[in-house]
Amino acid sequence: GEDPLPLRRAKITAEAAVKKAERATAAAGKARTQAEEDAVKASESRAAAEARKQEAEAAVEEARAKVAEAEAYLEEVKNQPGCAHGAIWWMQRELTEKKKFMPTAKGGIAK
């Protein structure tokens, strides 16, 4: 008869390879599921960040409008007779100082 040892060894090796392939397939399936979940989370985070960005831009526009309104009121008060020119000068000075620390694209001035 034939030697059963190489046949048995080949059978064991084949079974081990099948088990290893099944484990790798399971691990790949888990990794794929995790990647899909992460992609969903990332798209949700991106949408939330976009919404926050729009809220911030709206707040900046609102603040810019308030500053323009305050400056217009300051000019109106400055043109009235009998006002405290020292206090008005001080307010203008503070506005100018604040604008120095704003980006020029957002209404700031060069230092």
Side-chain angles (χ1 to χ4, degrees):
E2 257 184 66
D3 185 18
L5 190 61
L7 197 59
R8 194 176 329 139
R9 184 180 295 145
K11 185 177 177 185
I12 291 172
T13 305
E15 287 174 357
V18 167
K19 282 184 181 178
K20 194 173 186 180
E22 285 173 352
R23 277 194 230 112
T25 304
K30 282 182 185 177
R32 179 175 180 218
T33 305
Q34 185 64 41
E36 288 171 350
E37 289 173 4
D38 289 348
V40 168
K41 287 178 187 173
S43 64
E44 289 172 355
S45 295
R46 189 177 303 118
E50 191 66 33
R52 283 193 298 273
K53 179 183 172 194
Q54 289 175 349
E55 289 172 7
E57 286 173 352
V60 166
E61 280 301 315
E62 187 178 325
R64 191 176 295 144
K66 295 267 189 204
V67 168
E69 183 182 324
E71 287 176 336
Y73 181 71
L74 189 62
E75 283 299 315
E76 182 184 315
V77 169
K78 192 167 79 171
N79 292 329
Q80 290 177 354
C83 63
H85 290 287
I88 289 176
W89 175 85
W90 193 254
M91 285 183 233
Q92 284 179 320
R93 177 87 181 131
E94 284 183 345
L95 274 173
T96 305
E97 284 297 314
K98 298 282 188 235
K99 283 184 178 182
K100 284 183 182 178
F101 294 96
M102 288 176 60
T104 52
K106 302 283 185 200
I109 57 174
K111 290 182 185 174

